[in-house]
Amino acid sequence: MFQEHLTVAGRAIQAQFDAVLAGLGDLPVIHAMAHATFGGKRLRGFMVLESARLHGIDPNTAIWPATGIEALHAYSLAHDDLPCMDDDDLRRGAPTVHVKWDEATAVLAGDALQTLAFELVSNPAVGNGDVRADLALSLAQASGAKGMVLGQALDIAAETAASPLTLDEITALQRGKTGALIEWSATAGARMAQADLAPLQSYARALGLAFQIADDVLDVTSDAATMGKATGKDADAGKATFVSLLGLSEAKRRADDLVTEACDALSVYQAKADILRDAARFVVTRNT
């Protein structure tokens, strides 16, 4: 059932992107934006839609922030792939934006996707002014110097650090780099309903860490053809990961424990949250 819901969410988000980008003109930067937003698991957008369903929010309302978070995620990937950052040539099985176009276009497409994200979460269709302001403020905090950008900066600094990061340091890094946007996504429905965020915050914090551990596991157990992006780069660079610090078996066990913790956090929703529980289990069983 989860895979079916994920597929439906992905199609709805792609249709929304198609409609939004169609009105922006026939320009290289717009085509680059479309390229950057195409494909992927859409897990963040799915969580927005699913958390909205838990709180009785119309899918036609929730599709705006669901597409918004995917726009912001796509911007982060377009910039992360640049030669000055991770220098990757492959993303989602296709050439990265700077490879398909050039570095300037990739920077501008990422900039445009970042601002588009806030345009989408602030759309009048999303709700009243208080709801839209809360979504925009919380997204800014999750994506900027308190969240994703902070995590990315710490990750870059770790590449030239005198010694590898400790487990506590890498956990804090990933809480920003990966976890902050996952937490925003999982709590977006509660924000739209102006409901209690706590259960979904607990769920997302455990899930975000499990997601990153699973990524580290895949980085050493999978290959570029399967993943749709380069693998093994962290190990080649001597960077600390959950696998290098814990070992492969212990990293997998830690991810499984975090999934259990995430599922338990949803007890207040009873069976209504089963799809989100399945999403958590998917994180540690996926192969891409």
Side-chain angles (χ1 to χ4, degrees), residues 93-184:
T96 49
V97 179
H98 73 274
V99 170
K100 189 172 177 64
W101 282 271
D102 52 57
E103 289 183 38
T105 301
V107 170
L108 291 172
D111 290 344
L113 286 168
Q114 182 186 40
T115 55
L116 178 63
F118 288 94
E119 180 181 340
L120 293 172
V121 304
S122 302
N123 190 285
V126 175
N128 63 43
D130 288 343
V131 167
R132 287 181 281 139
D134 182 36
L135 286 170
L137 174 60
S138 58
L139 183 56
Q141 292 168 333
S143 60
K146 295 180 179 180
M148 181 191 69
V149 169
L150 172 62
Q152 183 65 52
L154 293 173
D155 194 32
I156 291 173
E159 294 178 1
T160 55
S163 58
L165 297 182
T166 65
L167 185 60
D168 286 345
E169 287 171 334
I170 199 169
T171 299
L173 183 162
Q174 299 300 348
R175 188 175 293 120
K177 184 180 177 182
T178 303
L181 293 190
I182 287 178
E183 181 175 335
W184 186 90

Side-chain angles (χ1 to χ4, degrees), residues 52 81-82 110 147 153 159 161 183 211 233 236 253-254 283 286:
D81 290 335
L82 286 166
E159 294 178 1
E183 181 175 335
F211 187 95
K233 292 183 68 176
D236 292 343
R253 189 193 67 78
R254 184 72 62 92
V283 159
R286 63 195 167 95

Side-chain angles (χ1 to χ4, degrees), residues 41-48 51 69-70 72-73 138-139 142-143 147-148 174-189 191 200-215 262 276 279-280 283 286:
K41 293 180 287 293
R42 309 288 199 198
L43 186 62
R44 292 158 187 81
F46 157 81
M47 285 195 289
V48 172
S51 66
I69 191 62
E70 289 292 339
L72 199 136
H73 180 51
S138 58
L139 183 56
S143 60
M148 181 191 69
Q174 299 300 348
R175 188 175 293 120
K177 184 180 177 182
T178 303
L181 293 190
I182 287 178
E183 181 175 335
W184 186 90
S185 303
T187 58
R191 290 186 185 279
L200 287 167
Q201 281 178 328
S202 297
Y203 166 82
R205 286 171 185 169
L207 177 63
L209 192 53
F211 187 95
Q212 186 56 52
I213 294 173
D215 251 14
L276 281 177
V283 159
R286 63 195 167 95

Side-chain angles (χ1 to χ4, degrees), residues 54-55 195-203 262-274 276-277:
L54 277 182
H55 292 86
D196 182 18
L197 304 181
L200 287 167
Q201 281 178 328
S202 297
Y203 166 82
C263 291
D264 289 346
L266 299 175
S267 60
V268 65
Y269 300 111
Q270 300 180 338
K272 286 175 62 179
D274 280 350
L276 281 177
R277 293 186 183 93

